[in-house]
Amino acid sequence: MGMSASICAVPVFCIKPPGMHAVRSGVLPGAPVDGADAASIPRRRGAFICRRLSLSTRGRNRCRMLPCPQTRKIIEFLVSEYDRPEREMSITANSVVSFHYRLCDETGAELESSLDAEPLLYLHGHKGVLPGLEKALEGRAAGESLSVILAPEEAYGVRQEGREQRIPIKHLNVDAKTQRNLKKGMAVPVQTEQGNRTMVIIKVGKFNVDVDTNHPLAGKTLTFAIDIVAVRDATAEEQAHGHAHGVGGHQH
């Protein structure tokens, strides 16, 4: 809705925000004398007026000096709208979330960090991150930071004994150079029926390796320091595929 054709001409020399000389003449568009709802004025025009007048908190107080009640109401509304920050989108199901993280164990030793790389990208509600982490991120917004502590049961499980297994080296999802330089203690991705799983090598043979099928972080209490970079709605394709597309997410 645009401004009404009716104009309330009000001298603005009485408005003197900090750092602005008194305007010695001029008129300010206001409400029709018969009254208009301040909310009917587009915020875009309100922001323009506020910038032109450099209205601040002090300027808002000085608006009370205006002789026209309707104009004073409109000016106060425009200032409040211009000062109000935009509402950030909250993380809900089917939100694509971009975040940086720093992962530490119970001693405070850093295990992983994304700070020197692209932020991680995932589709919320589709098991793209640990369930405990996803629960903590629910309802958060871009620009927020949080610390999340996960017990082993909420992270990579309790360590179980007797989980050693011998597998062919060809089933390791690593390049040829890495295959030639396998060592005890290395964490390697292994192709399984459930997809890639990270396992730790405990013995290297000529054609096979013995691995511990416990996750390398099993049995550890983990602390995630999270910085949420951005939140957006998932595309129809991302929802159909069950993962986020783009840098930091799934690349097709």
Side-chain angles (χ1 to χ4, degrees):
M1 182 183 298
M3 294 282 288
S4 169
S6 301
I7 297 295
C8 179
V10 181
V12 295
F13 59 81
C14 59
I15 304 178
K16 294 176 59 180
M20 176 180 177
H21 295 293
V23 179
R24 301 190 181 280
S25 63
V27 296
L28 178 68
V33 175
D34 59 356
D37 184 359
S40 67
I41 296 181
R43 188 180 178 192
R44 180 174 56 186
R45 183 159 185 174
F48 170 77
I49 294 173
C50 290
R51 284 194 295 270
R52 289 294 300 272
L53 294 180
S54 302
L55 288 171
S56 62
T57 303
R58 183 179 174 189
R60 185 187 294 110
N61 292 335
R62 294 205 176 212
C63 288
R64 300 184 185 281
M65 300 171 60
L66 292 172
C68 177
Q70 291 93 343
T71 302
R72 184 172 67 238
K73 179 180 178 181
I74 290 176
I75 293 295
E76 290 177 343
F77 170 79
L78 295 178
V79 173
S80 65
E81 284 293 291
Y82 186 59
D83 289 344
R84 178 173 58 85
E86 295 289 343
R87 181 175 297 175
E88 295 288 352
M89 178 179 175
S90 297
I91 298 174
T92 57
N94 293 323
S95 293
V96 173
V97 184
S98 173
F99 69 93
H100 275 297
Y101 74 95
R102 181 172 177 265
L103 174 62
C104 298
D105 63 16
E106 54 265 39
T107 68
E110 183 178 294
L111 303 174
E112 296 177 8
S113 175
S114 69
L115 297 180
D116 294 329
E118 293 291 338
L120 186 68
L121 198 68
Y122 83 97
L123 179 59
H124 194 77
H126 291 258
K127 300 180 180 180
V129 295
L130 292 171
L133 194 58
E134 190 170 67
K135 181 179 179 181
L137 287 166
E138 180 82 21
R140 300 281 188 162
E144 292 191 45
S145 298
L146 63 153
S147 179
V148 183
I149 300 176
L150 299 180
E153 295 81 3
E154 302 174 291
Y156 294 99
V158 177
R159 185 172 183 79
Q160 301 178 28
E161 298 300 327
R163 294 288 299 273
E164 295 81 10
Q165 185 177 341
R166 179 165 294 177
I167 60 175
I169 291 178
K170 65 181 181 180
H171 287 172
L172 302 182
N173 193 10
V174 295
D175 57 31
K177 181 179 178 180
T178 303
Q179 286 188 8
R180 293 192 298 268
N181 294 278
L182 296 173
K183 297 179 181 179
K184 179 181 178 179
M186 287 181 61
V188 292
V190 179
Q191 297 174 3
T192 71
E193 293 180 353
Q194 292 76 38
N196 279 342
R197 289 187 56 191
T198 302
M199 302 179 187
V200 177
I201 296 175
I202 55 180
K203 184 179 179 181
V204 180
K206 186 175 182 180
F207 301 106
N208 302 299
V209 290
D210 291 348
V211 297
D212 182 352
T213 60
N214 286 293
H215 190 280
L217 299 178
K220 295 182 180 292
T221 297
L222 304 175
T223 300
F224 289 86
I226 304 292
D227 294 317
I228 303 173
V229 177
V231 181
R232 64 171 173 83
D233 288 324
T235 64
E237 183 180 43
E238 287 173 321
Q239 292 185 44
H241 290 184
H243 53 243
H245 295 162
V247 178
H250 193 91
Q251 303 278 1
H252 286 291

